[in-house]
Amino acid sequence: MELWEKIIEAYPEINPTDNFNKLGIYLKDDSDGQGAFIAKWEYSKPLPDGMKVGKN
Amino acid sequence: MTTGRLPSVEGGIQPTIVDAKGDIIAASAADTPARLAVGSNNTVLTADSGEATGLKWEGFVGVKCTGTGTVSIANNTLTAVNFAAEEYDTNSFHSTVTNTSRITIPTGKGGYYRINAMGRMASLTAGFFSIKIAKNGTDISNSLTDPYNSSGSNQITDVLNLAAADYIEMKVFQNSGGAQNLSYEGGELYTYLIAEYLGA
């Protein structure tokens, strides 16, 4: 499951076609083999359990 | 005017200092004339303190990064685009092995660069498609197309003042609701990143 899908699973009120950036959720993938990560979290609700800002 | 060998007196420059059509006389130090051989056709004379005469002949300087096939861009995820090939790379700006998303400014080549990034997605039926130019990991230019109803291209151009070791990348964002393929080529080149040196 992709990172964006995990976020929607935690917060079902978010639609897949919503612009996450406008919700304050910024996901990035530096294409360095480490995969997608949360670059910034300014959503109205806290980070889902087990997630953090920055690369793993 | 008469040309020919001058008497060997202090201050005279012997005509034998030049050897060929197009050679010029420059200074390698104070009071020290030296020959600079003519450059290749269509090159221009450029100041370079690292050269013996402080001058060199130089042609086009730049890089065009490309690839083949497609790369998947996850939904709502700003993704750096890797480039596995180059159409040209005059000064080792890019590697096809390490940090393949990056164009890195080599030592001695700081200055103004025209950056052009272009990308194409096969089929977007919702959301928008954005291309960004990033400098040293920070997004600085953004081209956004909204909404998309079919395949199409997006392009952005900027002129940046870059120092040696600075690097630029092309990043892509889309929020169609699922992964989308960015196509490098399909008989023609669809996705590329260009850096063209304009001068110091």
Side-chain angles (χ1 to χ4, degrees), chain A:
Chain A
M1 183 182 286
E2 301 270 7
L3 178 58
W4 67 272
E5 293 173 302
K6 294 176 182 174
I7 290 171
I8 288 178
E9 186 177 63
Y11 295 120
E13 71 272 20
I14 302 175
N15 294 309
T17 55
D18 285 344
N19 181 349
F20 281 25
N21 294 356
K22 290 186 177 177
L23 300 174
I25 301 170
Y26 296 84
L27 309 183
K28 292 180 109 175
D29 186 335
D30 289 339
S31 296
D32 56 2
Q34 297 189 53
F37 63 96
I38 299 172
K40 190 161 62 173
W41 184 269
E42 295 175 340
Y43 189 48
S44 56
K45 296 180 179 178
L47 279 165
D49 289 342
M51 293 190 187
K52 66 167 191 171
V53 174
K55 294 184 183 180
N56 289 318

Side-chain angles (χ1 to χ4, degrees), chain B residues 181-199:
Chain B
N181 279 336
L182 188 74
S183 304
Y184 287 105
E185 44 73 41
E188 299 168 321
L189 202 55
Y190 292 155
T191 295
Y192 53 78
L193 178 63
I194 295 173
E196 173 190 4
Y197 181 63
L198 301 176

Side-chain angles (χ1 to χ4, degrees), chain B:
Chain B
M1 183 173 118
T2 301
T3 60
R5 188 178 297 274
L6 297 171
S8 182
V9 295
E10 187 174 0
I13 298 176
Q14 299 298 325
T16 53
I17 193 172
V18 290
D19 297 335
K21 178 181 176 181
D23 284 358
I24 61 174
I25 300 170
S28 59
D31 308 322
T32 310
R35 167 182 174 257
L36 177 65
V38 63
S40 302
N41 284 344
N42 300 312
T43 56
V44 297
L45 197 56
T46 303
D48 185 339
S49 61
E51 298 291 319
T53 61
L55 299 168
K56 68 178 178 183
W57 298 97
E58 191 167 64
F60 172 80
V61 172
V63 57
K64 182 176 184 179
C65 304
T66 63
T68 57
T70 60
V71 59
S72 179
I73 306 296
N75 186 46
N76 264 304
T77 306
L78 182 63
T79 303
V81 179
N82 283 330
F83 294 96
E86 300 143 355
E87 190 167 313
Y88 50 80
D89 185 356
T90 63
N91 292 67
S92 300
F93 286 93
H94 177 256
S95 168
T96 58
V97 178
T98 58
N99 292 324
T100 58
S101 66
R102 299 182 182 183
I103 288 176
T104 304
I105 307 304
T107 300
K109 281 295 169 199
Y112 291 90
Y113 285 80
R114 179 181 293 114
I115 310 299
N116 182 262
M118 177 168 168
R120 174 172 171 149
M121 286 200 170
S123 60
L124 280 173
T125 56
F128 66 85
F129 169 23
S130 169
I131 291 181
K132 296 174 185 281
I133 293 172
K135 174 184 174 183
N136 299 332
T138 301
D139 307 330
I140 54 173
S141 304
N142 186 12
S143 171
L144 185 150
T145 301
D146 176 283
Y148 252 75
N149 293 313
S150 63
S151 64
S153 296
N154 199 355
Q155 189 169 20
I156 183 169
T157 300
D158 200 351
V159 174
L160 305 177
N161 188 8
L162 301 171
D166 282 347
Y167 66 91
I168 60 164
E169 295 171 290
M170 169 182 169
K171 297 187 176 183
V172 171
F173 182 95
Q174 59 86 16
N175 65 325
S176 66
Q180 291 289 335
N181 279 336
L182 188 74
S183 304
Y184 287 105
E185 44 73 41
E188 299 168 321
L189 202 55
Y190 292 155
T191 295
Y192 53 78
L193 178 63
I194 295 173
E196 173 190 4
Y197 181 63
L198 301 176

